[in-house]
Amino acid sequence: MTSWKVLITDGLSEKGQAILRSECQVDDRNDIPADELLQVIGEYDALIVRSRTKVTPEVFEAAKKLKVVGRAGVGVDNINLAAAAAHGVTVVNAPKSTSVAVAELALGLMLDLARAIPIADSSMKGGQWLKKELKGVELNGKTLGIIGMGNIGSALAVRAAAMGMRVVGYDPLLPAEEISKRGAEPVALDDLYAKADYISLHIPLTEETRGLINGQALAKMKRGVRIVCTARGNIIDETALLGAIESGQVAGAALDVYSKEPPGLTALVAHPKVIATPHIGAQTAEAQVRAAEDMGTEILAALRGEPLRWKVV
Ligand code: NAD
């Protein structure tokens, strides 16, 4: 039997590791430092990462036997796709496994922003009773603008509609009919900015989307808009967002992702109108098992040279 060697650097649920062990030697080196990865990668046929490990051109250069890199989740912005292609290495992800988990977090963060639930809780734990001060707003009857109507954006659209929200969506890569089918009224981006009481971002980080939510975009939004970002930190210009919160243009923001992770106690994280979570979008028991199973079967298929469901490169 062929014994391929697989390296896992950011953890993978046991179910996925068991699938791989049927045909491979699996080394689980959670949290391996970048310099050590460069030293050992030469031995491996497959590498499985989440978002921590940066798969740089140097990694591909050092990886003499590498056939496939797997991302046990969605975003592949931590993998240098051009270098993968140049070295003939396949890249696969598990794009469907975590959509519900992220959509549920986005909805939860919208409720947190509307009702200041984190402040209500922390003030109680501080012995306070801020009943009068904590008057919130409702989601019902408000407009949600979803930027990016892919797997997560469309999962959020149906959930927001169930809360009584009007949902508008912007996605330049999808036909208008498809956006409607996925549960949102298709709109142009400026129209979304003008209409939305809540804006939730569900786009990948690309050269085009980097800094999309900058000062100009924030100025086009409705005064008092609430913004949720569970996509990627660099899509938002964090300095511009802080300014817009301080001026009252943005009433609140909930962030799961940051330009630098972990961000530390930045002015944005510390701001009382910001709810910050530590990149937990995909961190549910169910999503992690699904991602690991999808990854296990996809990596085996890639090693065997079989057709792939989720080939990125
Ligand atoms: P997806 O590929 O299914 O959907 C992304 C959508 O964005 C696509 O429909 C695409 O057409 C659209 N898009 C691309 N460029 C755009 C642009 N400039 N403007 C508007 N739309 C644009 O991906 P998904 O599964 O919905 O995930 C979206 C992103 O969420 C991922 O790329 C990842 O960065 C992030 N994510 C975060 C977590 C987390 O833990 N917080 C977990 C999973 C995914």
Side-chain angles (χ1 to χ4, degrees):
M1 187 181 80
T2 326
S3 185
W4 292 295
K5 285 187 78 176
V6 180
L7 178 64
I8 298 168
T9 58
D10 298 332
L12 191 74
S13 284
E14 172 51 30
K15 280 200 174 167
Q17 296 206 24
I19 292 168
L20 290 163
R21 276 199 302 271
S22 65
E23 292 184 43
C24 308
Q25 178 190 317
V26 178
D27 292 341
D28 188 357
R29 298 284 314 277
N30 202 358
D31 288 338
I32 186 172
D35 52 347
E36 224 176 303
L37 175 62
L38 283 179
Q39 284 165 26
V40 302
I41 192 66
E43 303 166 31
Y44 290 94
D45 302 281
L47 169 66
I48 299 178
V49 302
R50 287 178 61 196
S51 55
R52 181 197 65 95
T53 302
K54 306 287 173 255
V55 193
T56 58
E58 293 72 39
V59 173
F60 286 106
E61 198 58 47
K64 300 297 173 211
K65 293 165 63 183
L66 196 63
K67 296 170 188 63
V68 57
V69 175
R71 161 71 165 98
V74 184
V76 288
D77 45 291
N78 54 320
I79 302 170
N80 190 306
L81 300 179
H87 287 83
V89 177
T90 299
V91 176
V92 294
N93 66 351
K96 307 260 182 198
S97 54
T98 59
S99 314
V100 168
V102 183
E104 287 188 0
L105 180 70
L107 183 62
L109 290 171
M110 281 161 58
L111 286 164
D112 284 343
L113 284 171
R115 302 302 302 273
I117 297 169
I119 295 177
D121 175 63
S122 60
S123 57
M124 288 290 288
K125 289 185 167 65
Q128 292 173 288
W129 183 255
L130 300 183
K131 183 179 168 78
K132 276 196 207 122
E133 293 81 349
L134 291 176
K135 189 191 254 176
V137 290
E138 295 174 5
L139 297 188
N140 183 47
K142 301 297 186 316
T143 298
L144 167 64
I146 300 180
I147 301 182
M149 282 295 295
N151 290 313
I152 300 171
S154 48
L156 177 62
V158 293
R159 285 158 178 78
M163 303 297 294
M165 299 188 88
R166 172 187 176 200
V167 183
V168 298
Y170 169 71
D171 192 319
L173 306 182
L174 290 176
E177 315 81 73
E178 186 57 34
I179 295 175
S180 302
K181 237 197 271 167
R182 295 182 184 196
E185 279 169 50
V187 290
L189 189 54
D190 281 358
D191 206 16
L192 183 148
Y193 290 152
K195 286 182 171 143
D197 303 295
Y198 292 78
I199 292 179
S200 196
L201 303 175
H202 300 290
I203 47 181
L205 176 64
T206 62
E207 280 322 303
E208 228 172 84
T209 63
R210 185 179 293 274
L212 180 76
I213 306 301
N214 56 17
Q216 271 179 324
L218 289 160
K220 289 179 186 167
M221 294 174 191
K222 251 192 193 178
R223 190 163 177 84
V225 66
R226 291 176 170 83
I227 299 176
V228 173
C229 184
T230 57
R232 281 292 179 270
N234 284 306
I235 295 169
I236 295 184
D237 174 338
E238 293 172 342
T239 310
L241 176 62
L242 184 61
I245 292 170
E246 280 171 347
S247 75
Q249 169 66 4
V250 171
L255 306 172
D256 187 46
V257 287
Y258 307 88
S259 57
K260 178 176 151 253
E261 294 187 4
L265 193 55
T266 59
L268 197 58
V269 169
H271 199 286
K273 290 193 172 156
V274 172
I275 296 168
T277 53
H279 202 149
I280 55 169
Q283 289 279 53
T284 65
E286 297 88 342
Q288 288 310 310
V289 169
R290 274 194 302 270
E293 287 174 341
D294 287 354
M295 208 30 31
T297 50
E298 195 74 348
I299 291 285
L300 277 188
L303 291 172
R304 294 182 193 134
E306 291 172 1
L308 297 171
R309 288 173 294 176
W310 300 304
K311 187 170 191 268
V312 180
V313 165

